[in-house]
């Protein structure tokens, strides 16, 4: 593959007639009416012409006319996909902020519950692939909140739209062809082939080409079903991916430096913050998403799901002089005044900023929306 899953996610910023018959995977069917207006098929003459030409290329690539007709029967141009591709905001989070979101108390609690619920499956997957089951569980939690957010956008429409009108036409045409091969093999149906706006699919958000290369039929039902309510195939496919990318069985991903973890190199993604010792398995996790923050999030979440406690080290105050404890205090005080600030996690996002602006306006203070010590004092 010219662009593998980690490059795809790095640029993005965390779905034969045989597929239309028989025992279909259990998955919630999504109709166009379930989606926002800009993610429903819209008229676009250029797109229609492009699809006609693409169908010829797909046929030459070995895709049957029956598969092509079934795949495109309800497909269409999704203007919202193009808008999202063109307006991606690369939010720069500190490691402290990233971990606050990625390893929130809620995600840890749900992860422990999900691991317990599927303990037999996780044990079997670890035995077969040699990949730490807690790492697989953490990726599941990072990618779809343990299956709660698998994506609802038709993959054929999304990848076709981006191939026609996106910034990476050749890449998305390869994803579209891979998606058609998924249908031709009979792994799922066009209606159930759903995912994110960029075509990442299922419990652990595989792009179609990665699915083709690494997905497995762990349940033995003849389908590699990463979309349905049973996560077994998706979790095993993730273990398959990591194993084939070099995961070393029995080796930890790493640990907080100075805590009797494995030997390895030391990294400190946030100046003045917690340091970590990481191993080659940390780098294997990065093949899933090429980001130190992502791999640390997965490793630390895995440890917390397994029962480990919080980090022992600390992070310095932010650029405005507030510690995470200060920011949590500020959010709680805003919430007590009736503001909707979302999750109280010490991460200052759009809701917290909007609440600060309104509070400053009401108090006749300079309206900045910035969480500062002065705002915290005014809230007390």
């Amino acid at each position: 593959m010219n662009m593998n899953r980690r490059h795809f996610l790095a640029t993005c910023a965390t779905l034969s007639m045989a597929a239309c018959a028989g025992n279909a995977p259990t998955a919630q069917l999504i109709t166009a009416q379930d989606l926002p207006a800009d993610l429903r098929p819209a008229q676009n003459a250029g797109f229609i012409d492009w699809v006609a030409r693409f169908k010829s290329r797909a046929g030459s690539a070995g895709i049957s006319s029956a598969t092509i007709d079934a795949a495109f029967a309800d497909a269409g141009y999704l203007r919202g996909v193009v808008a999202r591709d063109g307006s991606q905001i690369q939010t720069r989070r500190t490691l402290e902020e990233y971990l606050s979101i990625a390893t929130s108390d809620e995600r840890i609690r749900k992860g422990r519950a999900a691991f317990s619920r599927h303990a037999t499956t996780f044990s079997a997957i670890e035995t077969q692939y040699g990949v730490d089951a807690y790492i697989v569980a953490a990726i599941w939690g990072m990618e779809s909140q343990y299956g709660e957010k698998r994506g609802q956008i038709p993959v054929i429409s999304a990848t076709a739209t981006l191939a026609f009108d996106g910034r990476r036409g050749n890449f998305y045409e390869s994803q579209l062809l891979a998606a058609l091969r998924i249908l031709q093999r009979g792994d799922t149906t066009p209606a159930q082939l759903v995912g994110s706006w960029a075509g990442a699919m299922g419990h652990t958000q595989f792009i179609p080409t990665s699915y083709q290369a690494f997905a497995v039929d762990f349940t033995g039902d003849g389908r590699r079903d990463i979309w349905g309510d049973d996560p077994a195939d998706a979790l095993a496919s993730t273990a398959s991916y990591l194993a084939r990318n070099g995961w070393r069985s029995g080796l930890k991903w790493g640990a907080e430096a100075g805590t009797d973890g494995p030997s390895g190199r030391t990294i400190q993604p946030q100046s003045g913050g917690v340091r970590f010792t990481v191993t080659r398995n940390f780098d294997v996790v990065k093949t899933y998403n090429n980001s130190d923050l992502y791999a640390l999030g997965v490793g630390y979440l895995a440890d917390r799901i397994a029962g480990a406690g919080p980090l022992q080290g600390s992070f310095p105050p932010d650029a405005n002089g507030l510690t995470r404890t200060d920011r949590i205090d500020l959010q709680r005080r805003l919430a007590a005044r009736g503001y909707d600030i979302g999750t109280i996690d010490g991460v200052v996002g759009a809701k917290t900023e909007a609440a600060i602006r309104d509070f400053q306006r009401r108090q006749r203070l300079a309206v900045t929306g910035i969480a500062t010590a002065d705002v915290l004092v005014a809230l007390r």
Side-chain angles (χ1 to χ4, degrees), residues 299-377:
Y300 180 48
L301 179 58
D303 291 348
R304 296 302 308 275
I305 292 172
L311 296 172
Q312 297 178 17
S314 60
F315 292 91
D318 62 23
N320 299 308
L322 298 184
T323 64
R324 181 170 184 265
T325 300
D326 292 332
R327 295 190 297 273
I328 289 174
D329 185 22
L330 184 147
Q331 288 177 323
R332 285 177 175 158
R333 291 178 183 277
L334 286 169
R337 289 174 177 263
Y339 289 105
D340 174 16
I341 51 83
T343 304
I344 296 175
D345 54 10
V347 179
V348 178
K351 287 187 174 182
T352 301
E353 291 171 349
I356 292 172
R357 282 194 294 271
D358 186 74
F359 172 75
Q360 289 171 324
R361 209 175 285 116
R362 291 174 183 271
Q363 297 297 313
R364 299 190 177 184
L365 302 171
V367 179
T368 65
I370 300 173
T372 64
D374 289 342
V375 172
L376 184 54
V377 169

Side-chain angles (χ1 to χ4, degrees), residues 213-228:
F214 300 104
V216 298
D217 172 21
F218 193 71
T219 62
D221 65 356
R223 302 175 189 268
R224 299 173 297 172
D225 177 19
I226 65 172
W227 304 270

Side-chain angles (χ1 to χ4, degrees), residues 81-125:
V81 164
V82 175
R84 286 161 176 76
D85 186 53
S87 63
Q88 295 180 74
I89 300 173
Q90 298 298 325
T91 302
R92 288 192 171 274
R93 295 286 188 194
T94 64
L95 175 61
E96 182 182 31
E97 291 173 326
Y98 189 89
L99 292 181
S100 293
I101 297 169
T103 63
S104 65
D105 290 344
E106 179 184 27
R107 205 182 301 249
I108 293 168
R109 175 178 55 79
K110 287 183 175 181
R112 289 172 177 170
F115 194 91
S116 176
R117 195 162 56 247
H118 298 281
T120 301
T121 297
F122 276 114
S123 178
I125 288 171

Side-chain angles (χ1 to χ4, degrees), residues 166-323:
R167 295 180 292 113
R168 299 183 297 278
N170 291 337
F171 169 71
Y172 279 107
E173 182 162 329
S174 73
Q175 299 308 314
L176 177 56
L177 281 169
L180 291 173
R181 292 188 177 101
I182 291 169
L183 295 176
Q184 183 156 282
R185 185 183 184 276
D187 285 309
T188 191
T189 67
Q192 293 166 330
L193 187 67
V194 295
S196 74
W197 66 262
M201 313 174 298
H203 286 267
T204 51
Q205 295 293 282
F206 271 65
I207 59 174
T209 49
S210 289
Y211 174 97
Q212 284 290 87
F214 300 104
V216 298
D217 172 21
F218 193 71
T219 62
D221 65 356
R223 302 175 189 268
R224 299 173 297 172
D225 177 19
I226 65 172
W227 304 270
D229 292 334
D230 181 355
D233 282 358
L235 299 176
S237 296
T238 299
S240 165
Y241 182 104
L242 296 174
R244 290 173 58 187
N245 275 280
W247 182 272
R248 179 174 292 177
S249 181
L251 179 66
K252 289 281 292 181
W253 67 271
E256 184 176 357
T259 59
D260 297 322
S263 60
R265 71 181 190 278
T266 300
I267 62 173
Q268 187 181 35
Q270 182 176 343
S271 179
V274 179
R275 297 163 63 247
F276 296 87
T277 300
V278 298
T279 70
R280 59 174 288 168
N281 280 348
F282 174 85
D283 297 324
V284 173
V285 175
K286 285 182 65 178
T287 68
Y288 212 82
N289 184 329
N290 191 23
S291 160
D292 282 351
L293 269 59
Y294 178 85
L296 286 171
V298 167
Y300 180 48
L301 179 58
D303 291 348
R304 296 302 308 275
I305 292 172
L311 296 172
Q312 297 178 17
S314 60
F315 292 91
D318 62 23
N320 299 308
L322 298 184
T323 64

